[in-house]
């Protein structure tokens, strides 16, 4: 909660109506408009009493942070804005404090956000419960079970990129303190038909794509798989890649989650081997072959796939091959073996793939339960979270949709029953008279489906068990006979004449009027899918596998345990599972989350009124509001009610000293609210009509404005008086300080005047004394000069007697020669070192030697440079020539150049001749390799980087694949026209190719290297050596490149590099490519 904003009620700062029970007027249009208004303001949660409506925003919202968790922790349900955290907190506190087992039912259609809602509930509970190493381990295992089940049980559909194709119910077990002990997961009706066939625009289960995208080459080799999706018939190619989904990263997440949950390494390996076997089963194809007796049989076209499957699973190849070609029927003591034609063989193959994957999924759930189950046997509290498929109405509805919609009918039935039960219990608990509420009871629809005698599931089982020819048409005929008069059953072939001319209902279909609307089911496939038949030969072949997991998945294949009894049908199994689930839910306190999908485009900020209206109808939300407000629309405990509205009455404001109920009675009597509009319960006030509540809110708002005015008036008076007292105190302080300052200034002025007078007197005395001293000095100097001249004259007179006239010049030359000799002898001892970079030089002793000193310095430097060069080998000379060339090309032009000065140019960074990994590449290149380095090639379309090996020979530039060593591109040096790069500190550069050349078909190359200066220098020198022409090096932060027929501008901008030193490239449009450099 923000520090500046404190919300104490759902009604504060409310956008629209936060609780639909308070909506006025209540109709479908106002209901939708209220949801839309809140959705447009990023309010995706709305209440219907204690029920949470959740609208999928299709984007991340900042409302699930740890701060939000703390904000809703231990708060009243209606105290803050509607949120899934409020419901989670209410359920957890009821379980912890009141010892009530809880269940959270999450419903809605595919794509409405049920799976994300269940994750949010679990993450909230994990965040608010206890801490500790053991508790954290349990929480982590519970949370990490989700990625595993999603990978194996979720798939991309046209409505949802992460659609749950199974129902999941998790019981989380807690101890008496509210700390998690473990959990139990139940799964319902995995859509295993998706394994062999997916509708257009949809994908198979996530795990198939994750293992092909994220597994290493060695791991795929062990599983005998390849990364190419098109190699596998069970994978649809039109939606193999999903925008925003990283299958490789998800695969790593799944493997890590399996390790955290407790899977051993050999178990994980076995699981992926079974997944690989299922994937490769789809590649087995059959061809017809006639036998001598005239019967048709099938043979496998290519046995390589079969051989690899058998190697993976440890099955004898001949046993599995026979199981695909023959079927053995046992009756008492007799065995009859018949051949399978091509259609039957394909059916057997698909049935095996579906059963193998379905049983693997059930094993995964069982294995996870073993890891996360509670280890103690003390009494436990339980919170159940139900995440199950929502009501489905497709263009083509089959057996799966029928079963799913049956489950939703049962959930709707228990929802109405438990909601009415909860309302009735609260009325009785509070002493309020309970009146019967009229509502639509969908028990008649449930009976139409599940009745043991005349129900659709019972008749479907009867048809599957009946001897003779059984088809989908015979099943439909039976439905037409038994259910013709049922008011919720419609069929073109029934005895009811009102549907005979209904052209919207095909002959091979029947229609059921569910609580959510009418759904037409195509009867094709009902019998086969209900039978869920797997030939015994295939079960026995699987049991014979030398693979512990596969052997455990097919216990019925054991010859010692042959059971001739027909296994239960899929419909009867699901009916029993639903009955168990309903029984479990009825023992717990229910909490509901109704998920709604705002649009079919999976896009943010789009609210489709018609689509939302359809979901509101089949979720029965309006009916839920009417049930909730049939008696009293709003109820609130006395304490918060009095706290919120006490300012409306003088007797209760500002403090009420008596009981809260008495205060509320006084308040309501003072406001003259009619007695029929409210009732007093034992602990709550019940308000019948929302208009009464809104009237209270309006009065409260007006009163708050009046109180704000009063507070503002008192505050202004206090502020003015405080300001006056502060000004008075300040004036006294200022006056005292000013008087002190004035006296200080006066004293300073007198003091400075005295100092000035003293200084003038002292100055006059000093000047007088100075004049006397100067006069005395001048007299002494004059006497000295006269004496010096006189002595000079006397000396010169004596000197002429002994020396010739040119003696002065000789003395000068001798002196000069002696000075020069002394200079050279001193220079000999002061010579600097022989290092060319040593700039030290002795100081010039005499001015007349200035030019000689400079020339001697130059000659010495040239001499020691020659001495230094004479020490170089030919290889070192070549290196320094390249460094000199690099300096001329890039110094003061490229910001990256100073960092390359101290780095030696090595050229062969990969050592291709020594590394056996590049043997294939070495054999393909005949010429001497000048430079070999790994560079990043930038994709021209999307700006993504791919690792390539860059090779420069005397005549060519080559790019090769780093992993395989295959040469991807080969460009003669004569076709390279220019190299462009930025002036920034990056390794990005473009190699321009001659237009019309063979290598320029796709356009110029965009590359990135950590040794850009060396590569460009060597390419420049090699091109100059071979073509006798200088290669143009362009250094600019914006240049043009050629992509096929288009010219694209490459522009360098300031930004962060996400992948280490690789520049981040982003293709803006067909004419601009932006490169982010630091």
């Amino acid at each position: 909660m923000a520090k500046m904003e404190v919300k104490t009620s759902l009604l504060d700062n409310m956008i629209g109506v936060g609780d639909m029970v308070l909506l006025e007027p209540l109709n479908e249009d106002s209901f939708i408009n209220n949801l839309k208004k809140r959705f447009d303001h990023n309010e995706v949660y709305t209440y219907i009493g204690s029920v949470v409506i959740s609208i999928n925003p299709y984007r991340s919202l900042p409302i699930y942070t740890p701060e939000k968790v703390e904000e809703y922790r231990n708060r009243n349900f209606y105290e803050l804005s509607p949120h899934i955290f409020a419901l989670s907190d209410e359920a957890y506190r009821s379980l912890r404090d009141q010892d009530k087992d809880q269940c959270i039912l999450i419903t809605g259609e595919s794509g409405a956000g049920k799976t994300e809602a269940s994750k949010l509930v679990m993450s909230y509970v994990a965040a608010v419960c206890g801490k500790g190493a053991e508790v954290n381990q349990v929480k982590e295992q519970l949370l990490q079970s989700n990625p595993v089940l999603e990978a194996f049980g979720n798939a991309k559909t046209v409505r949802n990129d992460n659609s749950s194709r199974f129902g999941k119910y998790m019981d989380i077990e807690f101890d008496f303190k509210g700390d998690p002990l473990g959990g139990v997961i139940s799964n319902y009706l995995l859509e295993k038909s998706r394994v062999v066939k997916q509708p257009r625009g949809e994908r198979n289960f996530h795990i198939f794509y994750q293992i092909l995208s994220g597994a290493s080459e060695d791991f795929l080799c062990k599983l005998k798989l390849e990364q190419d999706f098109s190699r596998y018939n069970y994978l649809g190619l039109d939606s193999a890649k999903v925008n925003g989904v990283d299958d490789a990263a998800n695969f790593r997440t799944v493997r890590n989650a399996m390790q955290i949950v407790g899977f051993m390494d050999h178990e994980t390996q076995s699981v992926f081997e079974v997944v690989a076997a299922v994937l490769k089963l789809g590649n087995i194809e059959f061809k017809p072959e006639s036998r001598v007796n005239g019967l048709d049989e099938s043979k496998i076209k290519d046995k390589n796939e079969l051989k690899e499957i058998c190697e993976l699973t440890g099955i004898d190849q001949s046993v599995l091959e026979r199981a695909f070609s023959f079927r053995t029927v046992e009756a008492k003591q007799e065995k009859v073996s018949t051949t399978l034609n091509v259609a039957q063989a394909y059916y057997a193959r698909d049935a095996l793939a579906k059963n193998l994957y379905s049983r693997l999924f059930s094993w995964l759930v069982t294995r996870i339960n073993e890891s996360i189950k509670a280890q103690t046997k003390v009494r436990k509290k339980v919170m159940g979270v139900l995440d199950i498929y929502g009501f489905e109405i497709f263009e083509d509805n089959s057996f799966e949709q029928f079963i799913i919609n049956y489950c939703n009918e049962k959930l709707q039935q228990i929802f109405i029953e438990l909601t009415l039960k909860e309302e009735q219990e609260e009325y009785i608990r509070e002493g309020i008279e309970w009146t019967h509420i009229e509502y639509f009871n969908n028990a008649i629809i449930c009976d139409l489906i599940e009745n043991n005698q005349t129900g659709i599931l019972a008749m479907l089982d009867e048809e599957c068990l009946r001897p003779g020819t059984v088809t989908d048409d015979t099943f439909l005929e039976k439905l037409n006979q038994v259910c013709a008069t049922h008011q919720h059953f419609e069929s073109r072939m029934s005895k009811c004449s009102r549907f005979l001319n209904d052209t919207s209902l095909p002959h091979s279909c029947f229609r059921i009027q569910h609580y959510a609307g009418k759904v037409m089911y195509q009867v094709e496939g009902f019998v086969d899918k209900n039978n869920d038949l797997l030939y015994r030969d295939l079960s026995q072949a699987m049991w014979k596998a030398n693979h512990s997991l596969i052997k455990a998945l097919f216990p019925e294949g054991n010859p010692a345990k042959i059971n001739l009894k027909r296994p239960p049908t899929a419909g009867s199994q699901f009916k029993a599972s639903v009955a168990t689930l309903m029984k479990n839910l009825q023992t717990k306190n229910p909490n509901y989350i109704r998920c709604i999908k705002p649009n079919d485009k999976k896009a943010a900020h789009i609210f489709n009124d018609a689509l939302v209206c359809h979901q509101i109808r089949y979720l029965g939300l309006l009916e839920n509001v009417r049930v909730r407000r049939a008696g009293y629309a709003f109820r609130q405990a006395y304490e918060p009610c009095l706290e919120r509205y006490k300012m409306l009455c003088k007797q209760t404001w500002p403090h009420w000293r008596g009981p809260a109920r008495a205060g509320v009675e006084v308040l309501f009597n003072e406001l003259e609210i009619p007695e029929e509009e409210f009732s007093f319960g034992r602990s709550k006030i019940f308000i019948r009509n929302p208009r009464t509540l809104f009237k209270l809110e309006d009065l409260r708002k007006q009163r708050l404005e009046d109180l704000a005015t009063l507070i503002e008036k008192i505050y202004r008076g206090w502020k003015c008086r405080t300001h006056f007292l502060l000004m008075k105190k300040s004036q006294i302080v200022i006056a005292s300080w000013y008087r002190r300052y004035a006296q200080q200034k006066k004293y300073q002025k007198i003091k400075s005047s005295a100092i000035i007078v003293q200084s003038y007197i002292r100055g006059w005395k000093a000047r007088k004394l100075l004049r006397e001293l100067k006069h005395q000095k001048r007299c002494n100097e004059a006497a000295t000069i006269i004496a010096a001249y006189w002595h000079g004259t006397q000396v010169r007179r004596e000197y002429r007697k002994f020396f010739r006239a040119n003696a002065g010049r000789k003395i000068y030359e001798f002196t000069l020669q002696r000075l020069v000799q002394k200079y050279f002898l001193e220079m000999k001892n002061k010579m600097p070192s022989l290092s060319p970079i040593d700039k030290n030089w002795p100081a010039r002793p005499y001015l007349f030697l200035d030019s000689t000193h400079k020339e001697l310095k130059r000659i010495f430097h040239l001499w020691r440079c020659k001495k230094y060069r004479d020490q170089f080998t030919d290889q070192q000379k070549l290196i320094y020539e390249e460094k000199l060339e690099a300096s001329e090309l890039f110094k003061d032009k490229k910001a990256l150049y100073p960092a390359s000065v101290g780095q030696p140019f090595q050229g062969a960074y990969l050592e291709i001749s020594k590394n056996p990994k590049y043997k294939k590449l070495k054999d393909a290149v005949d010429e001497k390799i000048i430079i070999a380095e790994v560079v990043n090639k930038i994709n021209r379309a999307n700006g993504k980087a791919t690792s390539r090996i860059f090779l420069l020979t005397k005549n060519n530039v080559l790019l090769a694949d780093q992993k395989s060593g295959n040469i991807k591109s080969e460009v003669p040096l004569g076709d390279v026209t220019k190299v462009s790069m930025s002036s920034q500190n990056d390794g990005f550069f473009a190699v321009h190719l001659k237009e019309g050349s063979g290598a320029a078909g796709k356009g110029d190359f965009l590359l990135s290297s950590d040794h850009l200066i060396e590569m460009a220098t060597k390419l420049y020198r090699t091109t100059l050596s071979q073509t006798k022409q200088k290669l143009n090096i362009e250094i600019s932060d914006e240049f043009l490149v050629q992509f096929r027929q288009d010219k694209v501008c490459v522009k360098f901008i300031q930004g962060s590099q996400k992948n280490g030193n690789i520049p981040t490239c982003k293709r803006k449009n067909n004419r601009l490519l932006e490169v982010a450099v630091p």
Side-chain angles (χ1 to χ4, degrees), residues 440-548:
F440 170 68
N441 191 343
N442 68 335
I444 187 173
I445 304 174
C446 296
D447 186 69
L448 169 66
I449 298 173
E450 67 181 4
N451 188 283
N452 291 330
Q453 302 297 328
T454 60
I456 295 176
L457 286 176
M459 286 184 283
L460 180 58
D461 287 349
E462 187 178 328
E463 278 295 296
C464 292
L465 300 174
R466 180 175 63 83
T469 304
V470 178
T471 64
D472 296 320
D473 293 332
T474 60
F475 165 61
L476 183 59
E477 289 177 7
K478 189 156 191 170
L479 286 183
N480 292 331
Q481 294 173 7
V482 178
C483 305
T485 58
H486 199 286
Q487 59 180 335
H488 290 273
F489 179 84
E490 301 175 6
S491 174
R492 192 87 172 268
M493 305 298 292
S494 67
K495 299 175 183 179
C496 188
S497 60
R498 60 195 176 102
F499 301 116
L500 293 177
N501 297 320
D502 188 354
T503 57
S504 65
L505 185 60
H507 291 283
S508 61
C509 300
F510 66 92
R511 189 158 53 204
I512 295 179
Q513 185 174 351
H514 291 280
Y515 77 92
K518 293 183 178 182
V519 183
M520 184 174 67
Y521 298 100
Q522 292 185 349
V523 78
E524 180 184 356
F526 262 63
V527 174
D528 285 340
K529 293 176 181 178
N530 189 50
N531 269 326
D532 195 19
L533 186 61
L534 179 66
Y535 296 149
R536 184 173 288 115
D537 300 75
L538 289 171
S539 297
Q540 294 176 350
M542 292 294 106
W543 187 84
K544 293 177 182 178
N546 187 19
H547 193 283
S548 58

Side-chain angles (χ1 to χ4, degrees), residues 842-853:
R844 168 177 52 84
Y846 306 107
L847 182 62
F848 71 93
L849 292 175
D850 182 73
S851 59
T852 303
H853 194 72

Side-chain angles (χ1 to χ4, degrees), residues 827 830-843 853 856-858 860-861 864:
M827 286 295 293
K830 295 181 181 180
M831 280 294 178
S833 66
L834 295 180
S835 173
I837 61 173
D838 188 355
K839 296 184 178 181
N840 293 324
W841 187 248
H853 194 72
L856 189 61
K857 179 181 179 181
R858 185 184 69 82
F860 177 80
H861 180 68
R864 67 181 175 182

Side-chain angles (χ1 to χ4, degrees), residues 748-765:
Q748 291 291 342
K749 190 173 182 181
I750 295 172
K751 182 179 178 180
S752 62
S753 300
I755 291 172
I756 291 172
V757 171
Q758 288 177 348
S759 64
Y760 270 101
I761 293 173
R762 290 191 185 112
W764 172 77
K765 287 183 177 180

Side-chain angles (χ1 to χ4, degrees), residues 719-778:
K719 186 177 180 181
C720 289
R721 175 162 179 79
T722 303
H723 182 68
F724 164 74
L725 293 175
L726 181 63
M727 292 289 289
K728 181 179 179 181
K729 182 179 179 182
S730 301
Q731 187 271 334
I732 295 173
V733 172
I734 292 171
S736 63
W737 276 87
Y738 176 76
R739 285 193 291 270
R740 175 187 174 190
Y741 169 77
Q743 291 298 322
Q744 286 179 340
K745 291 293 288 183
K746 183 177 180 182
Y747 167 75
Q748 291 291 342
K749 190 173 182 181
I750 295 172
K751 182 179 178 180
S752 62
S753 300
I755 291 172
I756 291 172
V757 171
Q758 288 177 348
S759 64
Y760 270 101
I761 293 173
R762 290 191 185 112
W764 172 77
K765 287 183 177 180
R767 284 192 294 275
K768 181 179 179 184
L769 178 61
L770 177 63
R771 283 194 298 270
E772 292 176 353
L773 292 175
K774 281 183 178 181
H775 177 73
Q776 184 180 354
K777 182 180 178 181
R778 280 198 298 271

Side-chain angles (χ1 to χ4, degrees), residues 132 156 522 620 671 705 716 725 853 937 946-947 960 1001 1058:
K156 188 261 182 190
Q522 292 185 349
L671 296 175
E705 292 178 357
R716 284 177 176 173
L725 293 175
H853 194 72
K937 180 178 177 295
T946 307
S947 294
K1058 299 180 179 178

